[in-house]
């Protein structure tokens, strides 16, 4: 796709193209320790290294008994110990929760359900219910069973499963290093707007969105405002791509007299994955693949200068790209019920800011949704997706594009 081809790509197609570009460029797996794996993505299946549990395990404090009662105690087994077999009827061993159940045991009796006579012999009744008082080998998983597939986002629960299995390290995809270049001489980085200049709101917020989608953003990788010249743009982009796998830019995606992004990409030999997207708000946006000095491709996502449009461009193109680069599944859209009429935008997809009710099933559009506004975004959970040539009536089921509102939340 060239810079001259300005035919808008459909919104859903653009997301698919971005994901495919990321997936084809995902880095080689690396082995890292369990504590370091949080937030990464499994590059290989997580398999059970042994049966889980690996041996019969007591789920109570009590007695492991054999044969008819009363039972004569012949020992004790604690968690972490190896239980000697029970070989004689009428015998038992005291057993702790988590301890190995001895072979030969016919039942477990809870301590609160037992009594002892003057000779120390134990009597009591095992509880009869569907769930036994001990866990059998393989009850949770059989040896070599796939517990989690490649592409699973690693969180504390996944780390816990891996540790239970006996892993000390996991094979994961590398972290994606992202950078940000802010374009626009009209931008202020401090103080209140005035005298023809506006405060930059994208420099502070875009890195946070990128982190929520799994990228790492070093503060040194945030630059701007970059001077509005082709030479400055070219130097900034070239420099950022030396250390980042993905560079996002804000502003300069049009073809105006001070829009230098397209000429800079041409100078760098970039290939457009997506040039323009038929979506409102969000026009214009782009995603390009840039040859890396080490032979690996880098990516540049051109976000519009208007703040809400920039966020829409980020979740349209950058979110699926990052999912692909991390080896994760393509983001899927849940379905919600529209609480009110949501108009379409002709031949373009309309992303309408909306807030979900407490059930998470009903979406109500919010106000203050101009392309340059952020107030509506701060009160929303995501976007109702209205496909080209359609609109939503109250009660209609519509796709919903959620925002990653919690740091570290899976995309």
């Amino acid at each position: 796709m060239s810079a001259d081809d300005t035919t808008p790509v459909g919104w859903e197609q653009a997301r698919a193209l971005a994901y495919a570009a990321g997936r084809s460029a995902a880095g080689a797996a690396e082995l890292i320790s369990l504590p370091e794996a949080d937030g990464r993505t499994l590059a290989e299946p997580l398999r059970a290294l042994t049966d889980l549990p690996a041996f019969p395990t007591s789920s109570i404090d009590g007695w492991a008994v054999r044969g008819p009662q009363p039972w004569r105690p012949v020992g004790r087994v604690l968690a972490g110990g190896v239980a000697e077999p029970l070989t004689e009827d009428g015998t038992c061993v005291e057993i702790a929760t988590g301890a190995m159940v001895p072979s030969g045991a016919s039942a477990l009796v809870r301590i609160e359900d037992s009594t002892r006579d003057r000779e120390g012999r134990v009597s009591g009744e095992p509880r009869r219910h569907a769930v036994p008082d001990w866990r059998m080998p393989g009850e949770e998983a059989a040896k070599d069973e796939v517990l989690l597939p490649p592409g699973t986002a690693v969180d504390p629960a996944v780390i816990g499963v891996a540790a239970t299995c006996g892993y000390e390290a996991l094979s994961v995809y590398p972290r994606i290093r992202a950078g940000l270049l802010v374009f626009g001489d009209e931008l202020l980085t401090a103080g209140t707007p005035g005298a023809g200049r506006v405060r930059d709101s994208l420099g502070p917020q875009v890195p946070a969105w990128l982190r929520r989608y799994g990228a790492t953003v070093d503060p040194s990788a945030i630059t701007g405002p970059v001077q509005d010249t082709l030479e400055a743009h070219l130097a900034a982009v070239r420099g950022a791509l030396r250390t980042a796998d993905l560079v996002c830019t804000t502003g300069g995606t049009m073809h105006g007299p001070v829009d230098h992004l397209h000429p800079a990409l041409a100078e760098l030999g970039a290939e457009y994955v997506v040039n323009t997207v038929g979506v409102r708000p969000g026009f214009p946006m782009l995603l390009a693949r840039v040859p890396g000095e080490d032979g690996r491709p880098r990516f540049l996502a051109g976000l519009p200068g208007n703040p809400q449009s920039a966020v829409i461009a980020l979740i349209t193109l950058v979110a699926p790209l990052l999912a692909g680069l991390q080896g994760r599944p393509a983001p899927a859209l849940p379905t919600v019920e529209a609480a009110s009429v949501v108009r379409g935008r002709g031949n373009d997809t309309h992303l309408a800011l909306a807030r979900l009710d407490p059930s998470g099933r009903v979406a109500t559009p919010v106000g203050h949704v101009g392309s340059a506004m952020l107030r509506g975004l701060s009160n929303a959970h995501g976007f109702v997706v209205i496909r080209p040539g359609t609109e939503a009536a109250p009660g209609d089921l519509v796709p919903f594009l959620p925002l990653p509102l919690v740091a570290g939340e899976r995309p």
Side-chain angles (χ1 to χ4, degrees), residues 75-88:
R76 170 189 288 180
V77 58
L78 302 177
V82 177
E84 296 294 329
L86 281 175
T87 59
E88 296 182 34

Side-chain angles (χ1 to χ4, degrees), residues 18-59:
Y19 177 75
R23 195 69 188 88
S24 65
E30 57 188 18
L31 200 64
I32 63 172
S33 68
L34 293 187
E36 297 176 297
D38 189 28
R40 298 290 196 98
T41 307
L42 292 180
E44 297 178 1
L46 184 71
R47 299 180 183 273
L49 302 179
T50 183
D51 288 343
L52 292 178
F55 50 84
T57 306
S58 175
S59 57

Side-chain angles (χ1 to χ4, degrees), residues 202-293:
L202 293 174
Q205 70 166 307
V206 168
W209 291 121
L210 291 170
R211 293 185 187 103
R212 278 160 169 75
Y213 285 115
T216 61
V217 187
D218 189 275
S220 65
I222 304 169
T223 302
V226 176
Q227 187 179 3
D228 277 337
T229 67
L230 176 57
E231 293 76 14
H233 278 54
L234 187 57
V237 172
R238 185 176 280 129
L241 289 171
R242 288 196 184 101
T243 57
D245 306 295
L246 162 68
V247 172
C248 291
T249 64
T250 66
T253 52
M254 296 286 284
H255 293 273
V258 292
D259 295 324
H260 305 295
L261 181 57
H262 289 283
L265 289 173
E267 184 72 22
L268 293 169
E271 172 195 6
Y272 286 83
V273 178
V274 174
N275 194 347
T276 55
V277 181
V279 63
R280 293 293 189 276
F283 185 87
M285 64 181 76
L286 66 87
L287 177 64
R289 185 186 293 107
V290 185
E293 295 175 356

